[in-house]
């Protein structure tokens, strides 16, 4: 698993730790930051990719400097824990190696509409075009 894939998981654990040190629940942090509790839960589980705006909101809510919020590390044990949680969820996990840790993930394949839908759209467009032409001819 690449560092990039494990970073949200590591950040989420770090955020949860900072929140618990303050003695706050997710609900309290959600109220203070103006974010949804379910969104914060997703961040803490490493399922959400946090924007810069939200990082600043979280730091301000926790009354800590933003660099302190961003001061987390992704170590080998954390990567292994994330891999194990993915495998328990039924996901296929790539082997952990230096080669994979620096690769950029390829974009997902975009799903194409079935050709029948494309044909339907073409026929609808041509029918509309014919109607427009007939209307213009009647108008003249």
């Amino acid at each position: 698993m690449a560092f990039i894939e494990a970073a949200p998981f590591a950040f989420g654990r770090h955020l949860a730790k900072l929140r618990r040190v303050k003695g706050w629940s997710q609900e309290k942090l959600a109220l203070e930051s103006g974010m949804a509790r379910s969104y914060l839960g997703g961040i803490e589980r490493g399922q959400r990719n946090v924007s810069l705006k939200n990082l600043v909101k979280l730091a301000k809510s926790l009354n800590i400097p933003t660099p302190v919020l961003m001061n987390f590390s992704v170590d080998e044990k954390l990567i292994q824990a994330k891999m194990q949680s993915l495998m328990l969820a039924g996901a296929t996990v790539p082997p952990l190696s230096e080669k994979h840790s620096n690769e950029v993930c390829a974009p997902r394949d975009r799903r194409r509409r079935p050709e029948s839908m494309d044909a339907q759209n073409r026929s609808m467009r041509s029918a509309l075009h014919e109607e427009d032409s007939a209307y213009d001819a009647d108008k003249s």
Side-chain angles (χ1 to χ4, degrees):
M1 170 176 300
F3 170 84
I4 292 172
E5 294 169 1
F9 185 68
F11 175 75
R13 290 179 68 163
H14 178 64
L15 176 63
K17 186 176 94 177
L18 292 171
R19 176 183 55 78
R20 285 192 297 267
V21 164
K22 197 146 176 93
W24 285 4
S25 64
Q26 284 181 347
E27 185 94 17
K28 172 76 174 169
L29 182 55
L31 279 170
E32 293 294 323
S33 64
M35 296 180 199
R37 188 203 50 77
S38 59
Y39 178 68
L40 285 172
I43 292 170
E44 290 185 2
R45 288 188 303 276
Q47 297 170 335
R48 298 290 189 147
N49 195 7
V50 190
S51 71
L52 183 57
K53 282 182 178 180
N54 287 339
L55 288 171
V56 172
K57 279 183 186 179
L58 288 168
K60 188 173 180 180
S61 300
L62 291 166
N63 199 24
I64 58 174
T66 306
V68 171
L69 181 61
M70 293 301 300
N71 189 16
F72 66 95
S73 62
V74 179
D75 61 2
E76 196 70 24
K77 281 196 257 180
L78 190 61
I79 291 173
Q80 293 297 336
K82 180 63 177 169
M83 285 176 64
Q84 205 162 20
S85 72
L86 286 172
M87 286 190 287
L88 290 175
T92 54
V93 180
L96 182 63
S97 70
E98 277 301 309
K99 179 183 173 217
H100 286 84
S101 66
N102 295 324
E103 285 182 0
V104 176
C105 295
R108 289 185 181 175
D109 292 336
R110 304 234 176 205
R111 292 190 178 189
R112 290 205 26 99
R113 292 183 295 183
E115 289 183 26
S116 60
M117 286 184 75
D118 288 335
Q120 285 175 344
N121 287 340
R122 279 193 300 275
S123 65
M124 285 176 59
R125 281 194 301 265
S126 69
L128 288 172
H129 180 68
E130 288 172 14
E131 283 180 21
D132 287 345
S133 299
Y135 177 76
D136 289 341
D138 289 342
K139 212 173 175 185
S140 333

